[in-house]
Amino acid sequence: MIEKMLTPHVDIRWTTEATWFSSSDAAVVRAGVLLLEAAARSSQPATLPDNPETLARMAGVSLETWAAKGECALEGFDRVDGGWRHRAMFDLQTAVQERFGAQLQELAASSVLASLAVDEFPLVGEVKQ
């Protein structure tokens, strides 16, 4: 199974429809955006760790600010074993995996083969004078 999305994807609605997005506190808005981005780039699909210090660092806030306002920035995330998982992002990743997983694996394998044998599979066309 592909463990992370090929391109980090954050649906703009996950941002604009979140309560934290309309917060008057810029630190909360920034924290929400940074946590969504961190979840998109996570090696475990759509997940964040459970450690408050790590979450505060990922959210770009102090530990004190995280303790006071961090829960708001986790809107859309559910607590799972060992961390937090963004529901919609995980559902999207799961749907992509179910629908296109075999094709994505074949594409990745053929790309590796092509990169190992550049003489056999030229990556650029013929250079014209």
Side-chain angles (χ1 to χ4, degrees):
M1 177 173 145
I2 294 174
E3 293 298 323
K4 82 183 210 184
M5 299 185 76
L6 299 176
T7 306
H9 176 82
V10 176
D11 188 320
I12 192 67
R13 292 171 295 181
W14 302 339
T15 302
T16 58
E17 294 174 3
T19 305
W20 52 258
F21 184 72
S22 58
S23 172
S24 60
D25 187 341
V28 172
V29 176
R30 181 174 183 253
V33 170
L34 290 174
L35 291 178
L36 274 176
E37 193 238 352
R41 295 182 183 277
S42 175
S43 60
Q44 295 294 329
T47 61
L48 298 173
D50 196 21
N51 183 298
E53 292 87 7
T54 304
L55 288 169
R57 189 178 72 249
M58 293 171 116
V61 297
S62 68
L63 191 53
E64 295 76 27
T65 302
W66 179 258
K69 303 175 182 181
E71 287 289 321
C72 180
L74 285 170
E75 180 182 348
F77 287 85
D78 294 323
R79 188 178 287 277
V80 294
D81 289 337
W84 295 87
R85 182 169 61 207
H86 194 272
R87 282 185 300 275
M89 192 182 302
F90 182 77
D91 291 347
L92 174 62
Q93 191 277 338
T94 301
V96 167
Q97 180 62 36
E98 287 174 359
R99 187 163 182 197
F100 302 109
Q103 293 94 328
L104 291 171
Q105 287 178 338
E106 186 174 328
L107 177 63
S110 63
S111 297
V112 169
L113 288 175
S115 69
L116 293 175
V118 292
D119 294 335
E120 300 288 327
F121 304 99
L123 299 178
V124 293
E126 187 176 323
V127 178
K128 295 183 180 182
Q129 296 296 329

